[in-house]
Amino acid sequence: MSRKTLLIVLFVSLAVNLFLVGGVIGGLVVGQRLRPDRPPMARMNQPVLAAAQALDPEKAKAFRTMLRGQGMEARTTMRQTREARAQAWRTLGAEPFDPAVTKQRLADIRDREAGTRGEIDDRIVDFAAELTPVERQKLATALAEPPARGRNQERGPRSPR
């Protein structure tokens, strides 16, 4: 292979590698930007979804389906409450500033969030009412346990830094 051919192959290889590295980095950046747009219910209900593992496969599937259906309904409300909270925080800089109005808006937002979470809890209880006592006990134990944290589970709670 001539020196000229080797030099061309080297530059082509460099260009392809730079293209691939740029694509990976670009994907990571775009992925991080989209991450906050994920529905909050997906993050919030991970321990609840994990509790389905305590049930037999058929019941676990029904439990997950019920939660996903409820989560779809709750997503819109939770998105609206995030937007309303941002608007309420903006009133801090408004003139004239009325702390009582801002506090009331934030309280209303908390009530809506609690109501939405309460609906999810109610659906779980309704689902559990249709289970056998043994299945209900398994689900109760799984729901009451904190989610597993992988290898660090044995270490206990994180210490503040």
Side-chain angles (χ1 to χ4, degrees):
M1 192 180 267
S2 72
R3 189 172 185 186
K4 185 177 181 179
T5 306
L6 187 60
L7 197 56
I8 290 171
V9 170
L10 179 66
F11 280 117
V12 169
S13 174
L14 179 64
V16 169
N17 284 325
L18 285 174
F19 177 76
L20 291 174
V21 168
V24 169
I25 291 172
L28 290 172
V29 168
V30 169
Q32 288 300 320
R33 287 186 178 198
L34 293 178
R35 188 175 200 118
D37 293 338
R38 272 202 246 154
M41 297 306 294
R43 290 186 300 269
M44 184 179 74
N45 276 335
Q46 286 304 324
V48 174
L49 283 172
Q53 294 174 358
L55 301 172
D56 66 68
E58 184 179 305
K59 300 276 181 161
K61 183 177 180 182
F63 184 72
R64 285 189 206 100
T65 300
M66 178 272 303
L67 284 176
R68 285 190 184 108
Q70 184 66 26
M72 295 297 283
E73 295 170 18
R75 263 186 211 117
T76 303
T77 302
M78 298 305 275
R79 188 175 301 121
Q80 290 169 348
T81 58
R82 277 195 317 272
E83 292 168 6
R85 180 171 278 113
Q87 290 173 355
W89 289 129
R90 285 186 201 105
T91 64
L92 292 176
E95 289 298 332
F97 174 59
D98 188 351
V101 170
T102 302
K103 286 180 181 181
Q104 185 58 51
R105 284 182 183 171
L106 292 170
D108 292 344
I109 293 165
R110 284 191 302 272
D111 290 344
R112 285 180 61 196
E113 288 172 335
T116 300
R117 288 186 176 102
E119 290 172 13
I120 294 168
D121 293 345
D122 289 347
R123 293 285 293 269
I124 292 171
V125 171
D126 292 342
F127 181 87
E130 298 174 10
L131 298 174
T132 66
V134 171
E135 292 171 327
R136 198 168 51 251
Q137 181 60 44
K138 287 179 183 178
L139 181 62
T141 301
L143 287 169
E145 291 295 316
R149 295 183 309 205
R151 288 190 281 176
N152 296 334
Q153 188 173 6
E154 267 58 65
R155 293 184 189 176
R158 269 187 159 169
S159 59
R161 294 182 185 201

